[in-house]
Amino acid sequence: MPPSPWSHQRNAGVADDIDFEIKGEDLQFVEIELDPGESAVAEAGAFVWKDASVQMTTVFGDGSADQGGGFMGKLLGAGKRLVTGESLFTTVFTHTGTGKARVAFASPTPGTILPLNLGELGGTLICQKDSFLAAARGVSIGLHFQKRVMTGLFGGEGFIMQRLEGDGWAFVQMGGTLIERELAPGEELHIDTGCVAAYTPDVDFDLVMAGGVKSVLFGGEGLFFARLRGPGKVWIQSLPFARLAGRMLQAANHQGGNQGEGSILGGLGRMIDGN
Protein backbone atom coordinates (compact mmCIF):
# COMPACT_ATOMS: atom_id res chain seq x y z
CA MET A 1 0.00 0.00 0.00
CA PRO A 2 1.41 3.46 -0.88
CA PRO A 3 2.27 5.72 2.07
CA SER A 4 -0.62 7.75 3.44
CA PRO A 5 -0.77 11.33 2.10
CA TRP A 6 -1.89 12.38 5.59
CA SER A 7 1.15 11.55 7.68
CA HIS A 8 3.25 13.64 10.01
CA GLN A 9 6.46 13.31 11.98
CA ARG A 10 7.43 15.30 15.03
CA ASN A 11 8.76 18.82 14.62
CA ALA A 12 11.42 19.14 17.29
CA GLY A 13 10.90 22.90 17.44
CA VAL A 14 7.27 22.69 18.54
CA ALA A 15 6.34 21.57 22.06
CA ASP A 16 3.59 18.97 22.52
CA ASP A 17 3.32 18.43 18.78
CA ILE A 18 1.81 14.95 18.46
CA ASP A 19 2.85 12.51 15.75
CA PHE A 20 0.23 10.68 13.70
CA GLU A 21 -0.60 8.63 10.66
CA ILE A 22 -4.02 8.12 9.05
CA LYS A 23 -4.59 4.60 7.76
CA GLY A 24 -7.20 3.05 5.51
CA GLU A 25 -9.12 4.21 2.48
CA ASP A 26 -12.90 4.39 3.05
CA LEU A 27 -13.10 3.35 6.72
CA GLN A 28 -10.16 5.24 8.14
CA PHE A 29 -8.57 5.49 11.55
CA VAL A 30 -5.90 7.80 12.91
CA GLU A 31 -2.97 6.39 14.88
CA ILE A 32 -1.40 8.95 17.23
CA GLU A 33 2.07 8.52 18.70
CA LEU A 34 2.67 10.16 22.07
CA ASP A 35 5.85 11.07 23.89
CA PRO A 36 5.89 10.78 27.72
CA GLY A 37 3.47 13.32 29.22
CA GLU A 38 1.70 14.08 25.93
CA SER A 39 -2.07 13.70 25.64
CA ALA A 40 -4.70 13.31 22.96
CA VAL A 41 -8.38 14.13 23.40
CA ALA A 42 -11.02 12.10 21.56
CA GLU A 43 -14.75 12.04 21.05
CA ALA A 44 -16.57 9.47 23.20
CA GLY A 45 -16.85 6.19 21.31
CA ALA A 46 -14.00 6.89 18.86
CA PHE A 47 -11.37 4.77 20.68
CA VAL A 48 -10.00 1.68 18.88
CA TRP A 49 -6.84 0.57 20.71
CA LYS A 50 -3.92 1.84 22.80
CA ASP A 51 -0.62 0.77 24.32
CA ALA A 52 -0.78 -0.19 27.99
CA SER A 53 1.21 2.87 29.13
CA VAL A 54 -1.48 5.21 27.77
CA GLN A 55 -3.90 6.05 30.58
CA MET A 56 -7.52 6.92 29.79
CA THR A 57 -9.54 9.53 31.71
CA THR A 58 -13.07 10.72 30.99
CA VAL A 59 -13.65 14.45 31.52
CA PHE A 60 -16.44 17.00 31.21
CA GLY A 61 -16.32 19.17 28.11
CA ASP A 62 -13.49 19.17 25.57
CA GLY A 63 -10.60 18.51 27.95
CA SER A 64 -8.72 21.59 26.73
CA ALA A 65 -6.06 22.99 28.99
CA ASP A 66 -7.71 26.45 29.07
CA GLN A 67 -11.16 25.22 30.07
CA GLY A 68 -10.60 26.38 33.65
CA GLY A 69 -13.22 28.00 35.84
CA GLY A 70 -13.65 25.04 38.19
CA PHE A 71 -16.82 22.99 38.01
CA MET A 72 -18.87 25.75 36.34
CA GLY A 73 -16.27 26.22 33.62
CA LYS A 74 -16.25 22.50 32.90
CA LEU A 75 -20.05 22.45 32.91
CA LEU A 76 -20.16 25.30 30.41
CA GLY A 77 -17.69 23.49 28.15
CA ALA A 78 -19.79 20.33 28.34
CA GLY A 79 -22.94 22.33 27.57
CA LYS A 80 -21.39 23.75 24.41
CA ARG A 81 -20.63 20.23 23.21
CA LEU A 82 -24.18 19.11 23.96
CA VAL A 83 -25.61 21.94 21.83
CA THR A 84 -23.52 20.84 18.84
CA GLY A 85 -24.80 17.26 19.13
CA GLU A 86 -21.76 15.81 20.90
CA SER A 87 -21.53 13.90 24.16
CA LEU A 88 -21.12 15.78 27.44
CA PHE A 89 -17.84 13.96 27.90
CA THR A 90 -14.56 13.53 26.07
CA THR A 91 -11.80 11.06 26.81
CA VAL A 92 -8.20 12.14 27.46
CA PHE A 93 -5.43 9.65 26.65
CA THR A 94 -2.08 10.43 28.36
CA HIS A 95 1.21 8.61 27.92
CA THR A 96 2.46 7.97 31.49
CA GLY A 97 5.35 5.63 30.65
CA THR A 98 8.68 5.94 28.87
CA GLY A 99 9.57 5.89 25.19
CA LYS A 100 6.84 6.06 22.58
CA ALA A 101 3.23 4.91 22.93
CA ARG A 102 0.32 4.85 20.50
CA VAL A 103 -3.43 5.23 20.58
CA ALA A 104 -5.87 4.93 17.67
CA PHE A 105 -9.27 6.44 16.91
CA ALA A 106 -11.70 5.60 14.10
CA SER A 107 -14.41 7.48 12.24
CA PRO A 108 -17.90 6.01 12.81
CA THR A 109 -18.97 6.51 9.18
CA PRO A 110 -17.43 5.90 5.73
CA GLY A 111 -15.42 8.86 4.64
CA THR A 112 -12.23 10.81 5.28
CA ILE A 113 -10.37 11.83 8.42
CA LEU A 114 -8.86 15.26 7.83
CA PRO A 115 -5.83 16.33 9.93
CA LEU A 116 -5.53 20.06 10.40
CA ASN A 117 -2.85 22.10 12.12
CA LEU A 118 -4.93 24.92 13.57
CA GLY A 119 -1.85 27.04 14.10
CA GLU A 120 -1.30 27.11 10.34
CA LEU A 121 -4.94 28.11 9.75
CA GLY A 122 -4.86 31.16 11.99
CA GLY A 123 -5.98 29.25 15.08
CA THR A 124 -9.66 28.73 14.16
CA LEU A 125 -11.74 26.41 11.99
CA ILE A 126 -15.53 26.36 11.45
CA CYS A 127 -16.88 22.88 10.71
CA GLN A 128 -20.11 20.91 10.62
CA LYS A 129 -21.69 19.67 13.82
CA ASP A 130 -20.40 16.34 15.24
CA SER A 131 -17.36 16.34 12.92
CA PHE A 132 -14.74 16.45 15.70
CA LEU A 133 -12.93 13.12 16.19
CA ALA A 134 -9.72 13.78 18.13
CA ALA A 135 -7.04 16.40 18.79
CA ALA A 136 -3.91 17.22 20.71
CA ARG A 137 -4.88 18.27 24.21
CA GLY A 138 -5.35 22.03 24.35
CA VAL A 139 -7.57 22.33 21.29
CA SER A 140 -10.88 23.93 22.29
CA ILE A 141 -14.24 22.86 20.85
CA GLY A 142 -16.82 25.64 20.92
CA LEU A 143 -19.85 27.02 19.09
CA HIS A 144 -20.20 29.06 15.92
CA PHE A 145 -23.56 30.77 15.30
CA GLN A 146 -24.65 31.67 11.79
CA LYS A 147 -25.23 35.43 11.75
CA ARG A 148 -27.76 35.45 8.92
CA VAL A 149 -31.25 34.12 9.63
CA MET A 150 -31.75 32.56 6.19
CA THR A 151 -28.38 30.83 6.37
CA GLY A 152 -29.28 29.40 9.77
CA LEU A 153 -32.68 28.18 8.60
CA PHE A 154 -31.68 26.68 5.25
CA GLY A 155 -27.91 26.29 5.43
CA GLY A 156 -27.90 22.54 5.94
CA GLU A 157 -26.17 22.69 9.35
CA GLY A 158 -28.61 25.08 11.05
CA PHE A 159 -27.65 28.07 13.17
CA ILE A 160 -24.99 26.24 15.17
CA MET A 161 -21.73 24.75 13.88
CA GLN A 162 -18.54 23.67 15.64
CA ARG A 163 -15.66 26.06 16.23
CA LEU A 164 -12.23 24.50 16.80
CA GLU A 165 -9.59 26.80 18.29
CA GLY A 166 -5.96 26.37 19.28
CA ASP A 167 -2.52 25.87 17.79
CA GLY A 168 -2.33 22.07 17.73
CA TRP A 169 -3.42 19.21 15.48
CA ALA A 170 -7.13 18.42 15.22
CA PHE A 171 -8.77 15.54 13.35
CA VAL A 172 -12.23 15.97 11.86
CA GLN A 173 -14.35 13.35 10.09
CA MET A 174 -15.98 14.07 6.73
CA GLY A 175 -18.39 11.98 4.64
CA GLY A 176 -17.24 10.38 1.41
CA THR A 177 -14.37 11.94 -0.53
CA LEU A 178 -12.92 15.26 0.60
CA ILE A 179 -12.01 18.19 -1.64
CA GLU A 180 -10.03 21.22 -0.50
CA ARG A 181 -10.41 24.57 -2.27
CA GLU A 182 -8.54 27.78 -1.57
CA LEU A 183 -10.57 30.81 -2.60
CA ALA A 184 -8.98 34.04 -3.75
CA PRO A 185 -10.41 37.36 -2.48
CA GLY A 186 -13.88 37.78 -3.97
CA GLU A 187 -13.91 34.31 -5.55
CA GLU A 188 -17.22 32.48 -5.06
CA LEU A 189 -18.09 28.82 -4.86
CA HIS A 190 -21.62 27.37 -4.88
CA ILE A 191 -21.99 24.13 -2.90
CA ASP A 192 -24.86 21.89 -1.86
CA THR A 193 -25.64 23.04 1.68
CA GLY A 194 -25.05 19.60 3.19
CA CYS A 195 -21.68 19.21 1.47
CA VAL A 196 -20.02 22.15 3.25
CA ALA A 197 -17.69 20.30 5.62
CA ALA A 198 -15.47 23.09 6.98
CA TYR A 199 -14.07 26.53 6.23
CA THR A 200 -11.77 29.11 7.72
CA PRO A 201 -13.50 32.01 9.51
CA ASP A 202 -12.43 34.61 6.92
CA VAL A 203 -14.70 32.91 4.34
CA ASP A 204 -18.12 34.58 3.94
CA PHE A 205 -20.91 31.97 4.12
CA ASP A 206 -24.30 32.89 2.63
CA LEU A 207 -27.08 31.33 0.52
CA VAL A 208 -28.22 31.83 -3.08
CA MET A 209 -31.32 30.51 -4.83
CA ALA A 210 -30.78 27.20 -6.61
CA GLY A 211 -32.46 28.57 -9.78
CA GLY A 212 -35.88 29.38 -11.11
CA VAL A 213 -39.20 27.92 -9.98
CA LYS A 214 -38.80 24.90 -12.26
CA SER A 215 -35.38 24.09 -10.81
CA VAL A 216 -36.62 24.49 -7.24
CA LEU A 217 -39.67 22.26 -7.78
CA PHE A 218 -38.17 19.55 -9.95
CA GLY A 219 -34.39 19.84 -9.80
CA GLY A 220 -33.93 17.74 -6.66
CA GLU A 221 -31.39 20.17 -5.17
CA GLY A 222 -33.57 22.06 -2.72
CA LEU A 223 -34.19 25.80 -2.52
CA PHE A 224 -30.67 27.10 -1.95
CA PHE A 225 -27.00 26.59 -2.61
CA ALA A 226 -24.36 27.61 -0.09
CA ARG A 227 -22.34 30.53 -1.42
CA LEU A 228 -18.83 30.75 -0.01
CA ARG A 229 -16.78 33.81 -0.90
CA GLY A 230 -13.04 34.13 -0.39
CA PRO A 231 -10.46 34.69 0.73
CA GLY A 232 -9.98 31.50 2.69
CA LYS A 233 -10.03 27.71 2.57
CA VAL A 234 -13.09 25.49 2.11
CA TRP A 235 -13.41 21.73 2.53
CA ILE A 236 -16.21 19.95 0.64
CA GLN A 237 -17.51 16.45 1.45
CA SER A 238 -19.05 14.31 -1.28
CA LEU A 239 -21.38 12.27 0.96
CA PRO A 240 -22.95 14.03 3.97
CA PHE A 241 -24.03 11.55 6.61
CA ALA A 242 -27.61 12.87 6.48
CA ARG A 243 -27.76 11.97 2.78
CA LEU A 244 -26.35 8.50 3.44
CA ALA A 245 -28.79 7.93 6.29
CA GLY A 246 -31.70 9.10 4.09
CA ARG A 247 -30.79 6.62 1.36
CA MET A 248 -30.49 3.81 3.89
CA LEU A 249 -33.88 4.69 5.36
CA GLN A 250 -35.34 4.87 1.88
CA ALA A 251 -34.01 1.41 1.06
CA ALA A 252 -35.28 0.02 4.38
CA ASN A 253 -38.77 1.29 3.53
CA HIS A 254 -38.54 -0.34 0.06
CA GLN A 255 -39.06 3.00 -1.66
CA GLY A 256 -36.22 2.64 -4.14
CA GLY A 257 -35.09 5.26 -6.64
CA ASN A 258 -34.30 8.90 -6.12
CA GLN A 259 -37.85 10.34 -6.34
CA GLY A 260 -36.41 13.86 -6.51
CA GLU A 261 -34.30 13.98 -3.38
CA GLY A 262 -34.46 17.43 -1.83
CA SER A 263 -37.34 18.61 -4.05
CA ILE A 264 -41.11 18.73 -3.86
CA LEU A 265 -41.17 15.45 -5.82
CA GLY A 266 -39.61 13.63 -2.87
CA GLY A 267 -42.76 14.09 -0.78
CA LEU A 268 -45.02 13.59 -3.82
CA GLY A 269 -43.36 10.27 -4.63
CA ARG A 270 -43.85 9.06 -1.08
CA MET A 271 -47.52 10.03 -1.19
CA ILE A 272 -48.03 8.10 -4.43
CA ASP A 273 -46.36 5.06 -2.86
CA GLY A 274 -48.63 5.32 0.16
CA ASN A 275 -45.83 6.38 2.50
Side-chain angles (χ1 to χ4, degrees), residues 69-83:
F71 175 76
M72 291 305 297
K74 294 179 180 179
L75 188 62
L76 179 61
K80 290 180 179 179
R81 291 175 44 75
L82 190 63
V83 170

Side-chain angles (χ1 to χ4, degrees), residues 47-64:
F47 169 73
V48 179
W49 63 269
K50 68 180 181 65
D51 287 328
S53 60
V54 177
Q55 300 299 312
M56 182 175 68
T57 306
T58 301
V59 299
F60 256 135
D62 57 21
S64 61

Side-chain angles (χ1 to χ4, degrees), residues 12-34:
V14 179
D16 300 321
D17 185 11
I18 61 174
D19 309 320
F20 66 87
E21 183 177 359
I22 294 177
K23 299 183 177 181
E25 298 297 328
D26 298 320
L27 296 169
Q28 295 185 329
F29 70 93
V30 56
E31 187 178 273
I32 296 176
E33 186 176 77
L34 301 173

Side-chain angles (χ1 to χ4, degrees), residues 86-257:
E86 304 285 10
S87 166
L88 284 171
F89 301 92
T90 52
T91 309
V92 179
F93 295 83
T94 304
H95 180 19
T96 59
T98 59
K100 302 283 188 177
R102 297 186 177 189
V103 59
F105 310 104
S107 173
T109 58
T112 304
I113 296 176
L114 176 66
L116 294 166
N117 188 323
L118 297 180
E120 296 177 355
L121 297 173
T124 303
L125 181 74
I126 309 301
C127 54
Q128 63 177 356
K129 295 190 298 262
D130 62 37
S131 63
F132 172 75
L133 181 67
R137 186 168 189 177
V139 171
S140 173
I141 308 152
L143 306 179
H144 175 76
F145 293 94
Q146 296 292 356
K147 297 179 180 179
R148 298 182 177 94
V149 174
M150 293 296 290
T151 305
L153 289 175
F154 302 104
E157 292 297 331
F159 283 103
I160 301 173
M161 299 180 74
Q162 281 186 336
R163 186 181 188 93
L164 304 182
E165 295 181 293
D167 58 1
W169 287 94
F171 306 92
V172 292
Q173 52 200 3
M174 308 301 183
T177 301
L178 188 68
I179 301 168
E180 179 182 316
R181 288 285 303 270
E182 182 157 7
L183 302 180
E187 182 181 0
E188 289 188 6
L189 191 63
H190 294 176
I191 309 173
D192 179 273
T193 54
C195 292
V196 179
Y199 56 93
T200 50
D202 47 354
V203 171
D204 181 61
F205 183 12
D206 202 354
L207 298 178
V208 293
M209 290 290 293
V213 175
K214 186 177 180 180
S215 296
V216 169
L217 292 178
F218 305 111
E221 301 301 337
L223 292 172
F224 299 99
F225 292 140
R227 184 193 70 189
L228 290 95
R229 178 183 293 152
K233 287 189 175 182
V234 177
W235 289 268
I236 307 164
Q237 58 186 354
S238 67
L239 184 61
F241 179 69
R243 183 179 296 176
L244 175 62
R247 291 300 181 91
M248 293 173 65
L249 180 62
Q250 185 181 73
N253 290 335
H254 307 290
Q255 293 181 23

